[in-house]
Each structure stands twice: as structure tokens, then as C-alpha cells.
Amino acid sequence: MPGTNTLQTCWDEHLLGTATGRQLSIDLAERLDAMMSIGPYRHPEGPVPIRPVLITSERGRELEEASIRLLDLVDRTCRAHASSVAELADRVGYTRPTVSLLSDNPAQNRAVLGMARPDVVISGGAPKFVECNIDSALAGPEQIALLNGFFRDTVRSTGWEWLDDKRVGVPDSLRARSQLAVDSAKARGVDRPEIRVLGWSAEGFGSERYFSDVISDLAGRGVSCEFALPGDLDFSTFLTHRGRRVDVVLRMFTTGEAAEEGLDLTPLARSTETDTALTLSPELGTLYTSKRVLAWLSESADELSSADREFVDTYLAWTRVVSDTEVTWKGDRVGLLKLLRTNRNGFLLKPFDQRGGAGCVVGRDVEESEWEDALESAVANGRYVAQEFWPPDPINVPVFHHGDGEVRSISAASVFSPIIFGRRLSGVLVRHTNVSTTSIVNGVRGGVMNTAWTVSS
């Protein structure tokens, strides 16, 4: 079995090295695009990946271990900064939606770290965490499950004997999330739970069809599971759906998004208050996801144990809340605003609670005057962090371009996002672009979702 680089070269030669291979690649891309069309997985002008990204099994273990350690540090940091959920919400500046699922009930909040997706930039060969998303409403698990299945089927159907499945790792995000839901029910004394996958749309993205693989995986384990919209639920003395008591809800959206869409979360909120059904994940995860928490963790490194301090210094991008204050930067005390003005190319600004790159300003991508305006706005707003910018190392990956109908290998900027379900690596979402120098990688800015497979040496 070849190593990662050799396997990658061999795979690409089969896809791009002959006229037959290139036609196969085009056919694969068209089929993949059609299969993925129900939900957003790429920008309309973004590339279509025709194989997974390959990483070493050592890198996969590093991402898993570092992600779990980061989650534990985030949990400790939040507990150190607030004695209650309400206080934490105030400290991170969280605006509660009209109907909120926030609760101080330990039985509900115990599952807060159950589902997470940190975002990692590999820069100079070293991983740097730049965000930590903690919620069940994570982009990626459904997409990478589809991508993994498609690429596995491709390998089987083409009879590529050089690809030895025994040394290629493909984490199963559906199985891991199903196991988490079942284990969570058992921890509450329910051995045969009624589980509901809670979406937000009757058709298309967010619908029963979109989550059909999630439901099928649970059903395949003998678990009673159905799709529901929030308005389909009822509450009297406990949560019900179609006359049956519900034990666990997999909530696939944020409560803020539910409010924007006009979804009625009242039955779910009442079941949370009374602890009659478990919601995975609790809304507390939204507070843990705030970039202010990363700033707290980053700035408190000197107060941590030597091992934790080394971890933070090694893996977490330096992050501070934007304000007119002094900070420690590379051993020196300096005014934060002065630091950001004199080192514009080395930083970016992010709002506490936006997703998908919304509101981000990368110093190297804007003129000095625009950076100054962004700084003044961030100070006035009081809800921004400044984070050290780490340029992503480009990866080589073959893709199809709709613009010219060609397949080619590209050098692409990328972000790796390990999916952690139940404290286990359950997949790796990779977002990459058409170019190697993009500062922010996401679907809004021309990117595409891909999946990573691990290869043992």
C-alpha cells in the first residue's frame, strides 16, 4: 500500500492521466454535483472535487486529540468566567431569541460538548485553531457522509485494486452521531428511545429528504426515529410527536435561525424547562461557540498549567477582544490598537457570533484606510475579536470546473474541520477553493466542501 503522497499521485493519475480517466472525472463531477444539489456544499463558481483530500493517520490523530483538548479548555474557561448560564450569556453578549432553549439544568447541559466542529488552518505545516463551533446545527456532517459514500462507491465500481481499504480510514459521521444519541438516551435511563430529527423545512434543504440518511442510520440500529418540524411537536406534561412521547431531539438548526424562519419552538422550550426530553445539542453550545471565549482562553494562557499553556501557544491562534487596552504580544506589553495598526497584514477582525466569514475583515486584503475604519467600528461595536492571521498552506486536489468543463489538479487554500461526536473523530470536513492565496475559505467566497480520508504508512 503506498503512503499518502504516493497514493495521491496514483489516484490523480487514474483521474487525469488519460483521456479515459479525464472523461470518467467529468462524469463523476456531474453525478456528484447532482447528488449534492439538495443542500449548499459549494459556491456556484466553486470547483467540484473528484476525490477526497488525503491526510496521514498521524495528522488525523493530532486533529482529534487537539480538538478534544480544546473543547475541555473551552468548557473550563466558560465555567471560570460565569457561575450560571444566564451570566455566561451576558458576558459573551448573547442576544436571546424570542423563544430560547437556554437552561441551567445540568441534565440538559451535560451534552454541550457532544457535537463540535473546530476550524483549523494548517499554516507552515502546523495546525492552528481559529474557531470552535459547538452545536448540533453544524455544517458538514451530512455533506461529508454523502461525499464519503460517493467516493467509496467510485472506488468499488472502478475496481481500483491499488486502493487498500484496510489502510485508508474513513470516519463515519452518521454512525458516530447515532451512537451519541443512543448513549445519551441510555444515560437518562431510556434503552429504547423515540428520537426525532428536527429540521426546518418541508422541502429541499433542511427537509426530511435532506436528513434521510441520518434517519435511516438510526432506524438501521433498531431505533425509532422520525423527522419532524418544530411545529409538529406537542407538549402537555411531556414532549410528543404524532401521539408518541419523544425522548431525544437532534436539533439541526440554531434557535436564532428558528426565530428568523418563524419556527415555533415553544413545545421544545417547555420540554427543556421540565427536562422531559433531551435536546442535542443544548443552546448553551451557542455561548461556548462565541469567539469571545477563544479570546478569554488565549489571553489567560499565562494563568494555565505549563502543559495547557504550551498547548494554547502551539495550537490556538492569538486572539483578543478589540478594545483600547494593553496586551502582551510576543513577550512585550503594547497597546492593542497600536499593534493592530502597525501590523495590519498580520491580523483579521471577527465579530463574536457570526458564521461563514460574515463580518470578517482581513488586514492584508484591505487598504489602510479601510482597515482603520474597520478598527474604529469594531471598538465602537464592542463585539469583535482581533486574531493573528495564519495563511493556509495550499493542498493539491483534482477538481472539475464548470466554467470551462475541464478537470485539473489545483493548488488550493484550505481549512480543516474535524467533526467531534461523543469525543471521537467522526469525520473531517475540508473546505478549499480554486486558488492558493485566499485568506478566508468558505462557500460564500468561492469555496467547496470536501472530505478527508486518513492514510496509514
Side-chain angles (χ1 to χ4, degrees):
M1 169 67 183
T4 305
N5 291 336
T6 305
L7 177 58
Q8 181 171 291
T9 300
C10 187
W11 203 328
D12 290 355
E13 285 178 351
H14 277 74
L15 292 170
L16 305 175
T18 65
T20 301
R22 296 177 74 84
Q23 185 56 54
L24 170 64
S25 297
I26 293 172
D27 293 342
L28 290 175
E30 291 176 345
R31 295 208 308 268
L32 178 61
D33 230 18
M35 183 185 75
M36 301 294 289
S37 63
I38 189 172
Y41 92 106
R42 70 178 183 89
H43 187 276
E45 298 176 4
V48 182
I50 51 178
R51 70 154 167 79
V53 173
L54 304 179
I55 61 175
T56 65
S57 55
E58 292 79 10
R59 175 69 84 192
R61 284 193 295 273
E62 180 183 24
L63 291 176
E64 178 181 46
E65 292 170 2
S67 295
I68 293 170
R69 189 165 182 180
L70 176 66
L71 291 175
D72 289 340
L73 285 169
V74 164
D75 184 47
R76 282 166 46 191
T77 298
C78 287
R79 293 177 185 277
H81 280 80
S83 59
S84 68
V85 172
E87 183 182 0
L88 181 61
D90 289 340
R91 295 216 60 191
V92 300
Y94 180 61
T95 302
R96 296 193 187 207
T98 305
V99 178
S100 174
L101 304 181
L102 281 183
S103 170
D104 269 312
N105 190 320
Q108 291 287 320
N109 293 333
R110 193 173 294 122
V112 66
L113 300 180
M115 303 186 203
R117 197 208 69 204
D119 289 344
V120 181
V121 170
I122 309 294
S123 186
K128 292 287 184 181
F129 289 107
V130 295
E131 299 203 15
C132 189
N133 305 287
I134 301 173
D135 207 339
S136 54
L138 298 169
E142 290 76 36
Q143 289 91 338
I144 62 174
L146 288 171
L147 288 162
N148 284 337
F150 180 85
F151 291 136
R152 272 196 302 259
D153 289 345
T154 297
V155 170
R156 294 190 188 107
S157 64
T158 52
W160 288 336
E161 297 179 357
W162 44 268
L163 184 57
D164 183 352
D165 285 338
K166 294 180 181 178
R167 300 181 68 180
V168 175
V170 187
D172 191 334
S173 60
L174 295 182
R175 179 177 300 176
R177 184 160 52 192
S178 294
Q179 190 63 53
L180 174 65
V182 171
D183 290 347
S184 298
K186 287 184 177 179
R188 293 169 64 86
V190 182
D191 291 328
R192 298 178 62 83
E194 283 281 347
I195 296 178
R196 293 298 179 267
V197 174
L198 203 62
W200 63 88
S201 175
E203 297 180 357
F205 185 42
S207 68
E208 182 173 5
R209 180 188 166 206
Y210 181 74
F211 292 113
S212 60
D213 288 343
V214 180
I215 298 166
S216 296
D217 188 81
L218 280 159
R221 295 166 172 268
V223 176
S224 179
C225 178
E226 294 182 13
F227 175 84
L229 296 172
D232 298 334
L233 302 175
D234 293 300
F235 185 91
S236 53
T237 55
F238 45 78
L239 192 67
T240 61
H241 176 239
R242 295 177 177 173
R244 296 199 298 276
R245 179 168 179 164
V246 177
D247 302 296
V248 176
V249 168
L250 287 171
R251 175 177 55 88
M252 300 304 195
F253 49 81
T254 68
T255 48
E257 291 168 334
E260 293 171 3
E261 295 294 327
L263 301 177
D264 181 12
L265 296 187
T266 303
L268 195 60
R270 292 184 66 189
S271 74
T272 300
E273 292 169 3
T274 56
D275 192 32
T276 52
L278 177 66
T279 299
L280 294 174
S281 290
E283 190 174 327
L284 177 61
T286 305
L287 310 186
Y288 277 36
T289 298
S290 172
K291 297 169 189 67
R292 185 164 204 167
V293 175
L294 289 187
W296 285 341
L297 178 56
S298 180
E299 69 187 6
S300 68
D302 289 343
E303 303 166 11
L304 302 175
S305 68
S306 58
D308 287 340
R309 181 168 61 249
E310 182 180 1
F311 174 84
V312 169
D313 290 342
T314 300
Y315 284 100
L316 180 60
W318 189 94
T319 308
R320 295 292 187 275
V321 174
V322 179
S323 64
D324 188 2
T325 187
E326 281 197 346
V327 297
T328 300
W329 169 251
K330 297 185 177 180
D332 296 325
R333 293 294 291 175
V334 62
L336 176 58
L337 298 184
K338 179 180 179 181
L339 173 66
L340 297 177
R341 288 186 173 108
T342 56
N343 294 271
R344 171 168 54 91
N345 289 343
F347 291 95
L348 68 160
L349 304 176
K350 295 179 176 180
F352 287 172
D353 53 6
Q354 294 297 309
R355 302 186 180 198
C360 290
V361 181
V362 183
R364 65 175 56 196
D365 291 346
V366 298
E367 298 296 329
E368 185 174 347
S369 59
E370 187 176 348
W371 180 248
E372 181 61 32
D373 290 343
L375 273 179
E376 291 183 5
S377 177
V379 172
N381 182 279
R383 297 169 55 85
Y384 273 73
V385 297
Q387 190 172 79
E388 186 176 8
F389 176 77
W390 291 89
D393 295 343
I395 58 173
N396 294 317
V397 59
V399 299
F400 171 77
H401 291 264
H402 275 289
D404 57 16
E406 293 292 328
V407 290
R408 64 178 72 91
S409 182
I410 61 172
S411 178
S414 61
V415 172
F416 290 77
S417 300
I419 306 291
I420 305 296
F421 288 160
R423 300 182 71 82
R424 292 189 298 272
L425 182 67
S426 308
V428 180
L429 172 68
V430 184
R431 285 163 290 173
H432 60 78
T433 64
N434 271 331
V435 295
S436 61
T437 55
T438 300
S439 299
I440 297 177
V441 182
N442 59 41
V444 176
R445 304 195 183 199
V448 62
M449 291 183 178
N450 201 345
T451 182
W453 292 5
T454 61
V455 181
S456 59
S457 55

